[in-house]
Amino acid sequence: MPAYQLASREYQQEDTVIELKTCRIGSGQVVIIAGPCAVESEEQMLGLASTLKEMGVHILRGGAFKPRTSPYSFRGLGEEGLRILARARELTGLPVVTEITDVRNLDMVLKYADILQIGSRNMQNFDLLREVGRVHRPVLLKRGLAATIEEWLLAAEYILAEGNRNVILCERGIRTYETYTRNTLDISAIPAIKELSHLPVIADPSHGTGRRSLVAPVARAAVAAGADGLMLEVHPCPEEALSDGPQSLLPAQLEHLLAELRPMAESLGRRLSGSI
């Protein structure tokens, strides 16, 4: 038995499936999570959310608390951003995922979010992992920027060991010597996780590349490698985005990508369109 006992295939052979109102993550459906890096205003979020709903997106994403490298960068709207996400959910019926960065904000985020995201910087924030493990809300756990696959699964183990078995792993790229891309998205980690763990795994080609032109081809590669879903940053005007504009797709680009992915998923015996 490996060190990550509860996350391992030895512990559970059957794939874990995360049940949501609009989709089942880990069931053979390619789930699409999309939205802006950061919630910037109600007008921006509600307008984009309606567009994404029409395209067939399953889950809305948007950051209310943004951990930034520079203390002078936009760091999110806080609870007002969460309220806007809740309004977007009311408008569209789509569940929302947002990042929690501080254990002190857990109760606040739980009031608004359907899925709690643990970002790359917090993958080994063990106190935070334990706390989200004690709530019955799905947790999307991003791989740390220099984490091995085993370290990533051990981080998931912290959540599972506290009783929360609804963990979604997210490959978002790791730090390498390459400087052309923001990170190096580890495509091989997707089938590796499928061998090692029963937990669903999705890919984030937006952070994995940092370049809008590379998001679609890497998204296709992730689906071909077996990813249970994609997390994509979309913004109606990326050049004016307060966070991650260079890697954000325009809505029309996302629509084109989804049109490419539908027949591709079907050829692999999976599906992208439709709900549960």
Side-chain angles (χ1 to χ4, degrees):
M1 182 75 72
Y4 46 89
Q5 298 178 25
L6 300 175
S8 70
R9 280 283 180 196
E10 286 87 344
Y11 175 79
Q12 179 177 317
Q13 288 291 319
E14 184 179 352
D15 288 340
T16 289
V17 176
I18 311 298
E19 303 270 358
L20 295 165
K21 290 181 179 180
T22 57
C23 58
R24 301 174 75 240
I25 306 174
S27 67
Q29 182 178 20
V30 180
V31 172
I32 303 299
I33 305 170
C37 174
V39 178
E40 298 170 3
S41 69
E42 182 168 342
E43 180 182 10
Q44 167 235 24
M45 192 68 216
L46 297 189
L48 183 58
S50 296
T51 299
L52 296 176
K53 166 74 172 180
E54 292 173 4
M55 288 184 192
V57 166
H58 304 101
I59 301 169
L60 295 175
R61 61 147 294 152
F65 297 96
K66 299 300 302 176
R68 305 300 296 278
T69 301
S70 170
Y72 308 113
S73 298
F74 175 68
R75 299 180 65 194
L77 298 178
E79 188 167 11
E80 178 55 27
L82 294 173
R83 292 191 188 99
I84 293 170
L85 281 172
R87 291 179 199 128
R89 178 178 56 212
E90 291 171 6
L91 177 67
T92 63
L94 298 179
V96 298
V97 56
T98 195
E99 183 172 358
I100 176 167
T101 60
D102 191 324
V103 68
R104 294 170 296 182
N105 292 330
L106 180 57
D107 289 341
M108 179 198 305
V109 176
L110 284 170
K111 288 167 54 181
Y112 302 98
D114 300 288
I115 304 172
L116 305 174
Q117 177 181 311
I118 303 294
S120 178
R121 292 174 175 87
N122 276 308
M123 190 204 80
Q124 290 184 312
N125 182 339
F126 300 121
D127 289 336
L128 181 58
L129 296 177
R130 287 193 182 100
E131 288 301 318
V132 299
R134 292 168 183 158
V135 301
H136 298 288
R137 199 72 55 89
V139 177
L140 191 153
L141 178 65
K142 287 198 166 189
R143 185 179 181 181
L145 54 87
T148 65
I149 290 174
E150 182 177 54
E151 289 167 339
W152 187 17
L153 287 169
L154 282 168
E157 193 78 7
Y158 269 87
I159 302 170
L160 298 170
E162 294 296 331
N164 188 346
R165 303 302 172 89
N166 294 312
V167 177
I168 307 153
L169 300 172
C170 181
E171 165 59 40
R172 48 78 72 195
I174 52 177
R175 177 88 38 103
T176 68
Y177 293 108
E178 184 52 65
T179 58
Y180 183 73
T181 53
R182 177 173 179 174
N183 296 293
T184 299
L185 195 135
D186 185 3
I187 291 290
S188 67
I190 297 168
I193 289 293
K194 292 292 184 180
E195 286 186 359
L196 297 170
S197 178
H198 54 86
L199 297 173
V201 56
I202 69 170
D204 178 353
S206 301
H207 284 90
T209 65
R211 290 177 175 267
R212 187 177 304 114
S213 63
L214 301 180
V215 169
V218 174
R220 294 193 297 267
V223 171
D228 294 298
L230 298 169
M231 192 173 202
L232 301 160
E233 290 189 340
V234 183
H235 197 285
C237 191
E239 61 273 17
E240 296 179 5
L242 299 179
S243 178
D244 288 354
Q247 67 193 38
S248 297
L249 297 176
L250 288 159
Q253 292 174 313
L254 174 64
E255 188 172 30
H256 181 73
L257 173 59
L258 296 181
E260 292 181 325
L261 290 175
R262 287 186 183 97
M264 178 181 170
E266 290 172 4
S267 73
L268 296 169
R270 304 163 73 196
R271 70 186 191 285
L272 185 145
S273 299
S275 63
I276 59 174

